[in-house]
């Protein structure tokens, strides 16, 4: 199964609580107050090198958050991304070669987290991808709040790897990880600062990861 390389937007330890559900309640309160029902925009570009070939990747996304549900075990919520993306091969001088490869798509991510020791942890799965079959794409996810409950930290690492393509033809095994901070700015607008890393996976060497590129991303509420 082939997956087009995507940028995604996109938690570690929490303060120790007397009750595990207190962790859920704090995160749920933050999400209700600051995240749910809001829409953000993100725009970035960068160069990715894969198997000796360089590509200029241009990425834009509209990000919305909804469907928060508190359960007996934890909480679930959903993130939807309307993505506009192109990848253009570059020659050795860094100039574009040929036409950009368009990989526009809509991606829906489902979060399911529960208290575990002093943090919230779980999985994030992709339930919809209008470009490719998302079956089997998942991310180990953890969440924590700052001591003053004004920042939410999300940490994700892809479980396994996916077959990604930049040129629309050839694929390579890749994985991603990210660390994001969600907070309100002085004007009450939702901001997300994220470091997103892409790795090439060596399936013949215990799935060792070699970092290809990292993006420092910033998504802002409209």
């Amino acid at each position: 199964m082939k997956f087009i390389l995507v940028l995604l937007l996109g938690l570690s330890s929490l303060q120790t609580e007397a009750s595990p559900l207190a962790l859920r309640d704090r995160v749920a309160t933050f999400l209700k107050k600051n995240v749910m029902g809001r829409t953000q925009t993100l725009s970035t570009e960068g160069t990715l090198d894969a198997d000796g070939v360089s590509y200029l990747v241009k990425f834009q996304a509209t990000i919305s958050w909804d469907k928060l549900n508190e359960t007996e075990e934890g909480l679930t919520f959903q993130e939807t991304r309307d993505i506009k993306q192109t990848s253009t091969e570059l020659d050795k001088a860094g100039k574009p070669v040929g036409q950009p490869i368009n990989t526009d798509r809509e991606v829906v991510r489902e979060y399911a987290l529960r208290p575990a020791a002093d943090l919230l942890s779980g999985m994030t799965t992709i339930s919809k991808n209008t470009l490719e079959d998302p079956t089997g794409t998942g991310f180990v996810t953890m969440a924590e709040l700052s001591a003053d409950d004004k920042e939410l930290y999300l940490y994700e690492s892809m479980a396994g790897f996916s077959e990604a393509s930049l040129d629309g033809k050839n694929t390579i095994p890749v994985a991603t990880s990210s660390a994001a901070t969600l907070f309100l700015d002085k004007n009450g607008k939702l901001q997300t600062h994220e470091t997103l890393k892409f790795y090439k996976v060596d399936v013949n060497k215990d799935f060792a990861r070699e970092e290809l590129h990292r993006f420092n991303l910033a998504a802002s509420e409209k």
Side-chain angles (χ1 to χ4, degrees):
M1 177 172 56
K2 180 181 74 174
F3 287 87
I4 301 297
L5 187 61
V6 297
L7 290 174
L8 301 172
L9 214 201
L11 300 170
S12 186
S13 61
L14 281 168
Q15 299 293 321
T16 301
E17 303 282 349
S19 166
L21 289 182
L23 303 176
R24 179 206 63 185
D25 293 344
R26 289 176 62 209
V27 174
T29 297
F30 180 94
L31 291 171
K32 288 176 185 177
K33 181 180 179 181
N34 303 320
V35 180
M36 292 297 113
R38 298 179 187 247
T39 300
Q40 296 176 289
T41 57
L42 168 66
S43 179
T44 191
E45 65 177 68
T47 302
L48 283 175
D49 296 315
D51 288 341
V53 181
S54 295
Y55 298 89
L56 175 63
V57 179
K58 295 183 178 181
F59 178 87
Q60 293 181 320
T62 300
I63 306 165
S64 59
W65 306 80
D66 59 9
K67 297 186 178 180
L68 174 65
N69 182 38
E70 296 177 60
T71 68
E72 292 183 1
E73 295 183 338
L75 55 83
T76 61
F77 57 96
Q78 180 175 288
E79 178 207 75
T80 301
R81 305 184 184 205
D82 182 10
I83 297 169
K84 309 293 183 185
Q85 180 178 326
T86 60
S87 301
T88 307
E89 184 177 343
L90 303 175
D91 63 19
K92 293 183 178 180
K95 296 182 179 180
V97 177
Q99 296 298 314
I101 303 299
N102 187 305
T103 52
D104 294 351
R105 60 205 176 275
E106 182 184 34
V107 176
V108 178
R109 296 162 58 87
E110 308 284 350
Y111 289 80
L113 303 173
R114 63 172 63 184
D118 59 350
L119 54 81
L120 289 186
S121 67
M123 290 292 295
T124 301
T125 57
I126 297 179
S127 61
K128 178 181 180 181
N129 185 332
T130 56
L131 187 64
E132 294 286 340
D133 181 0
T135 304
T137 304
F139 302 84
V140 178
T141 303
M142 295 181 289
E144 72 173 337
L145 283 166
S146 60
D148 58 7
D149 287 4
K150 291 185 177 181
E151 294 183 339
L152 177 67
Y153 309 120
L154 293 174
Y155 303 96
E156 296 183 352
S157 181
M158 181 177 285
F161 66 93
S162 65
E163 293 290 336
S165 175
L166 287 170
D167 60 8
K169 297 178 293 183
N170 302 307
T171 64
I172 59 172
V174 300
T176 64
S177 67
S178 66
T181 302
L182 287 74
F183 62 97
L184 298 187
D185 64 17
K186 62 181 181 181
N187 298 314
K189 298 293 186 179
L190 177 62
Q191 307 292 325
T192 301
H193 293 170
E194 178 181 11
T195 298
L196 178 64
K197 298 179 182 180
F198 284 92
Y199 306 91
K200 180 180 178 181
V201 178
D202 191 335
V203 297
N204 297 314
K205 293 184 178 180
D206 297 324
F207 302 98
R209 295 182 176 188
E210 175 189 353
E211 186 175 323
L212 294 176
H213 193 81
R214 69 177 63 189
F215 291 90
N216 294 315
L217 308 175
S220 300
E221 185 177 359
K222 288 184 175 180

